[in-house]
Amino acid sequence: MEGTWLRLHSHPALSVVAFALVFRAVHRLLYSLTPPPRVVERNPLCAWKWRNLCLSLAHSLVTGPWAATCVIVCPEMLKDLHSYSTPISYLLVCVSSAEHAVASAHVCNPQVLWCFLYALYTRRYVGGAVIALLVEINSVTLHTRLLLKLAEARASTVYRINKLLNLLTYVTFRLGTQFYLTWYLLWNYSWLDHAAYFLGTVLLMDIIILIYFYRLLRADFFPSGYACLERNATSSNGFSDFLKD
C-alpha cells in the first residue's frame, strides 16, 4: 500500500486519468448489464439518465462505505480535516476525483472536482474530502429513488421504504456532514489555507442542498402541496422551475 500511495502522490493527475478510464469501462459494462425497463427505454433521454444513474449508484455503493470506514478506523480525522491523511483516504479521494471528472454535468461537479484535485496535489484537506464523501451514503438511496421514479414505481413498497431511508440518510449524512464542514471552516478560518475559497464553495453547496431537501420533502412527504407547486410552476419564472422535482 505504501508503494501505491507514493506513486499516487507523485502523479496525481495521471492517477485520476487512469481511474477515469476505469469508470468509462465500468460505464460500458453497466450499459450492457443494466438495460433500462421498457417504460424507460421508450424515451431516449430517460434511458440515458437510467444508465448514468446506474454508474453513479455503483460509485456511491463503493465510496460511501469506504469513506465511513476511513472515519471509523481513524476517528482523529474528524479533528484535523486540514492535515490528516492516510494512504486509503488519499486513494479514496483519487477515485472520487476520477468519478467527478467523468460524471454528467451537475451544478456542483466543477467545484467539488477542484477541491478534490487541490487535496491530491497539496495533500491538504484530504480528511475534509473524506468527510464530504460521507454524503455518498445518502446518494445510494437518492439514486435508487430516481431510478424508481424513472421506472414509474412510485406506488411500490420498495419506493416507500426507500423514501424513508433516503430522508434518514439525507439528514444524517448530507445535511449533517455539510454543516460539520461549514462549522469546521468557520471555527478554523483564521489559519486554514485558502479558507475563503473553500468556505465560499461549502456555503454555496449548503444553499443547494437545502433547496434539494425542500424539494425532496415536498415531492415525497407533502404530495398535495407539491402538485399545487407543479401547476403554478407551469406559468411562473425559472426559480419555480428550479424548485420542481
Side-chain angles (χ1 to χ4, degrees):
M1 175 61 73
E2 189 68 27
T4 301
W5 192 33
L6 291 174
R7 285 192 289 272
L8 290 175
H9 273 227
S10 301
H11 307 286
L14 291 178
S15 302
V16 171
V17 170
F19 283 119
L21 292 175
V22 171
F23 271 107
R24 284 294 184 186
V26 172
H27 196 177
R28 290 182 177 276
L29 180 63
L30 288 175
Y31 188 92
S32 59
L33 295 180
T34 57
R38 289 183 181 179
V39 67
V40 175
E41 203 165 27
R42 289 198 296 264
N43 186 321
L45 178 59
C46 289
W48 175 81
K49 288 181 178 179
W50 176 276
R51 294 186 175 96
N52 277 281
L53 282 169
C54 286
L55 178 62
S56 296
L57 178 59
H59 169 259
S60 298
L61 286 169
V62 173
T63 56
W66 189 345
T69 301
C70 289
V71 174
I72 292 171
V73 173
C74 302
E76 55 269 33
M77 182 183 298
L78 292 168
K79 299 179 180 179
D80 186 7
L81 304 186
H82 175 262
S83 304
Y84 193 88
S85 178
T86 63
I88 197 68
S89 61
Y90 188 90
L91 179 61
L92 169 61
V93 177
C94 190
V95 170
S96 294
S97 299
E99 195 275 337
H100 282 284
V102 302
S104 304
H106 187 281
V107 69
C108 285
N109 266 355
Q111 293 92 332
V112 172
L113 179 59
W114 167 247
C115 291
F116 282 7
L117 290 177
Y118 178 92
L120 292 177
Y121 273 97
T122 65
R123 306 179 193 179
R124 301 296 185 188
Y125 296 107
V126 173
V130 171
I131 299 304
L133 284 168
L134 288 173
V135 302
E136 295 298 338
I137 296 174
N138 168 247
S139 293
V140 172
T141 55
L142 201 60
H143 295 325
T144 301
R145 172 183 179 271
L146 294 174
L147 287 170
L148 291 170
K149 286 183 64 178
L150 285 174
E152 299 182 1
R154 295 187 65 167
S156 67
T157 302
V158 173
Y159 187 92
R160 289 194 292 270
I161 294 173
N162 184 78
K163 77 176 184 179
L164 295 175
L165 291 174
N166 189 41
L167 178 63
L168 176 63
T169 57
Y170 201 106
V171 171
T172 305
F173 294 105
R174 196 170 291 273
L175 291 177
T177 295
Q178 196 66 26
F179 291 157
Y180 181 77
L181 290 173
T182 304
W183 170 84
Y184 185 90
L185 288 168
L186 288 171
W187 188 258
N188 300 283
Y189 184 86
S190 61
W191 64 270
L192 289 174
D193 299 326
H194 304 289
Y197 174 81
F198 287 106
L199 180 60
T201 300
V202 168
L203 290 175
L204 173 62
M205 294 179 66
D206 287 345
I207 295 171
I208 294 171
I209 286 174
L210 287 172
I211 291 174
Y212 279 121
F213 186 56
Y214 167 82
R215 292 172 56 184
L216 177 68
L217 292 177
R218 292 294 296 262
D220 279 355
F221 297 95
F222 303 99
S224 56
Y226 181 70
C228 179
L229 177 66
E230 282 189 311
R231 289 194 299 271
N232 293 336
T234 58
S235 58
S236 61
N237 58 28
F239 181 72
S240 294
D241 290 338
F242 180 63
L243 293 179
K244 289 175 62 182
D245 183 30

